[in-house]
Amino acid sequence: MKPRLPRFFSSAIALSGVVFLSACATNGSKPTVKITNGKMFAVIADTTSFYRYGPQQGNGPDQELPRDTVMTLIRPSFGYSKVQLLAGAEGYVASEDIKPAPPTLLAALNAPPPSTHSGAGSERENFDIHSSEPPPPEDLPDPDLPPTSVEPPPEP
């Protein structure tokens, strides 16, 4: 008879496999803004203080956020509102320094990076030699067409 692992161990092994695979799935691209509940806000002041634990923490603000910094509003309040920055950090900012983010600012965050090539004919392909992705397919002639000859036909 084959020995069986207790249910706890088999569940733990399966869970660790899922965690490992999800950690390998990151692609390093910049995060995009997902507008799901309309709570995206932006800084309207030139700068505003960001407090990780609250405005009364003993060591002052943790960082200064520049104008047009986008964040998700977690809990509005009269003095300081709890927010989450796009990088993931949660903290507090002055409620008077933020307003709902304009659609143009959110669209600019989701826009693809500007193209660096000047025309379709001058486009260069860039390959990462350390990539595990397969190379792009080659442009091959249609197999149903007869082969074309580069040599000139013989003269009579």
Side-chain angles (χ1 to χ4, degrees), residues 69-156:
T69 300
V70 178
M71 61 197 71
T72 303
L73 182 64
I74 296 174
R75 186 175 55 243
S77 181
F78 179 70
Y80 284 82
S81 296
K82 187 170 185 178
V83 298
Q84 181 177 17
L85 302 179
L86 293 180
E90 290 186 8
Y92 298 85
V93 296
S95 297
E96 64 186 24
D97 289 346
I98 61 172
K99 293 286 183 216
T104 53
L105 180 60
L106 296 177
L109 289 175
N110 286 328
S115 179
T116 57
H117 60 81
S118 59
S122 64
E123 189 173 321
R124 281 185 45 180
E125 294 184 44
N126 293 320
F127 297 103
D128 180 10
I129 60 171
H130 302 292
S131 174
S132 62
E133 302 265 332
E138 295 181 26
D139 292 332
L140 299 175
D142 189 2
D144 295 333
L145 296 176
T148 57
S149 174
V150 181
E151 300 174 12
E155 293 183 23

Side-chain angles (χ1 to χ4, degrees), residues 2-13:
K2 189 175 181 181
R4 292 183 57 203
L5 289 174
R7 184 179 292 238
F8 170 76
F9 289 119
S10 61
S11 297
I13 291 171

